[in-house]
């Protein structure tokens, strides 16, 4: 009785048909793959938080030097929204490239039509981020 297979394991099984899902080799590779994805996600969030922390330290420094605009305007809220929007747009664009190349297993620069679609989608993604 196998029960229900998690979606991530199902997709990994479809990508690696040469491996038996019950084998130790499959389990080790699958768990390493999951660990790597979690590490990348943590690294991305840490980068964003590091940027926000550095920006806040810069604002505190300017406030201590006597610049009034720091207290007058919500600069931190504006910049944190901009940084978060750009960060999210960049990750969405990378995911879009992954989806476009994964479907046909060819690089974006090898297909002019796919490259054009990718560029239009990037304009939409970054344009939406600019509006936010």
């Amino acid at each position: 009785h196998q029960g229900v297979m998690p979606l991530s394991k199902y997709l990994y099984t479809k990508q690696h048909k040469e491996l038996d899902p019950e084998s130790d080799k499959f389990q080790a590779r699958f768990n390493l793959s999951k660990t790597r994805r979690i590490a990348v996600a943590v690294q991305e969030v840490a980068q964003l938080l590091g940027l926000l922390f550095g920006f806040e330290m810069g604002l505190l420094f300017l406030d201590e030097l006597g610049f009034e605009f720091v207290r007058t305007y919500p600069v931190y809220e504006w910049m944190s929204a901009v940084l978060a929007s750009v960060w999210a747009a960049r990750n969405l664009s990378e995911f879009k490239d992954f989806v476009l190349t994964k479907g046909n297993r060819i690089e974006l620069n090898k297909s002019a039509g796919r490259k054009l679609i990718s560029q239009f989608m990037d304009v939409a993604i970054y344009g939406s981020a600019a509006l936010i």
Side-chain angles (χ1 to χ4, degrees):
H1 183 277
Q2 280 191 331
V4 177
M5 182 183 293
L7 180 61
S8 60
K9 191 171 188 177
Y10 174 77
L11 293 175
Y12 194 81
T13 304
K14 290 294 182 187
Q15 290 175 349
H16 301 281
K17 293 178 182 178
E18 73 278 2
L19 296 175
D20 175 27
E22 300 302 320
S23 71
D24 291 337
K25 184 177 181 180
F26 176 86
Q27 295 297 332
R29 287 177 64 179
F30 174 68
N31 288 332
L32 283 173
S33 172
K34 280 179 26 179
T35 304
R36 186 189 65 78
R37 278 186 257 142
I38 291 169
V40 167
V42 168
Q43 177 189 14
E44 289 286 329
V45 171
Q47 287 176 354
L48 176 64
L49 293 176
L51 280 171
L52 291 173
F53 178 75
F55 186 72
E56 178 144 4
M57 291 297 105
L59 287 177
L60 287 173
F61 179 71
L62 290 175
D63 186 34
E64 288 298 317
L65 290 177
F67 290 94
E68 291 297 321
F69 74 91
V70 176
R71 291 180 190 220
T72 308
Y73 301 104
V75 178
Y76 179 73
E77 288 84 5
W78 294 342
M79 278 310 291
S80 62
V82 167
L83 287 174
S85 296
V86 169
W87 176 79
R90 188 191 67 190
N91 284 329
L92 188 58
S93 178
E94 287 177 7
F95 179 71
K96 176 235 358 143
D97 290 340
F98 169 77
V99 169
L100 286 176
T101 57
K102 198 69 168 173
N104 295 319
R105 297 194 184 275
I106 57 175
E107 295 296 320
L108 282 176
N109 57 6
K110 291 186 179 177
S111 169
R114 188 165 291 113
K115 187 174 183 178
L116 187 62
I117 290 170
S118 175
Q119 289 174 343
F120 278 127
M121 290 175 77
D122 278 339
V123 167
I125 290 169
Y126 286 105
S128 299
L131 293 175
I132 294 173

